[in-house]
Amino acid sequence: RRLRHFSMKVCRKVEEKGQTTYNEVADELVQEVLEERGASQGKYDEKNIRRRVYDALNVLMAMDIISKEKKDIFWKGLPQNCLDDL
């Protein structure tokens, strides 16, 4: 459940920006998550969050929801069958 929730955060972040980079998304989500949890875990949490952002972006690319050119990430949109489920 946590991974799905986190993946949705990554998806929304890329959608609202339209064009972004991995570092931009990761930096913002690290900040948000550490503020939610309190910065008690520090570096371990940051590395874990960044890894999850990377994994979520790869899944979104595989699903053709986003595309990547060099360091830039572009929002393409949700497939029609996903929109029907919402």
Side-chain angles (χ1 to χ4, degrees):
R1 177 169 149 87
R2 288 177 87 179
L3 185 56
R4 184 179 208 185
H5 175 72
F6 189 78
S7 296
M8 288 302 297
K9 280 185 167 188
V10 172
C11 189
R12 275 191 234 108
K13 188 71 68 178
V14 176
E15 181 180 17
E16 73 187 30
K17 292 182 174 297
Q19 177 182 352
T20 189
T21 64
Y22 160 77
N23 280 329
E24 188 175 5
V25 173
D27 289 345
E28 289 182 22
L29 286 172
V30 164
Q31 190 67 33
E32 286 177 21
V33 171
L34 291 181
E35 285 174 5
E36 286 173 8
R37 294 183 188 169
S40 60
Q41 302 263 318
K43 281 289 180 194
Y44 172 77
D45 253 2
E46 182 176 342
K47 285 182 179 182
N48 191 24
I49 294 163
R50 287 182 174 282
R51 178 67 196 172
R52 285 187 174 198
V53 169
Y54 180 81
D55 290 343
L57 290 172
N58 281 326
V59 169
L60 294 173
M61 272 194 299
M63 294 176 68
D64 206 31
I65 295 171
I66 63 172
S67 63
K68 187 176 172 191
E69 289 179 31
K70 297 188 180 183
K71 292 189 176 197
D72 292 321
I73 297 167
F74 301 92
W75 176 257
K76 293 175 76 175
L78 292 171
Q80 188 59 41
N81 60 342
C82 288
L83 294 174
D84 294 341
D85 291 340
L86 295 178

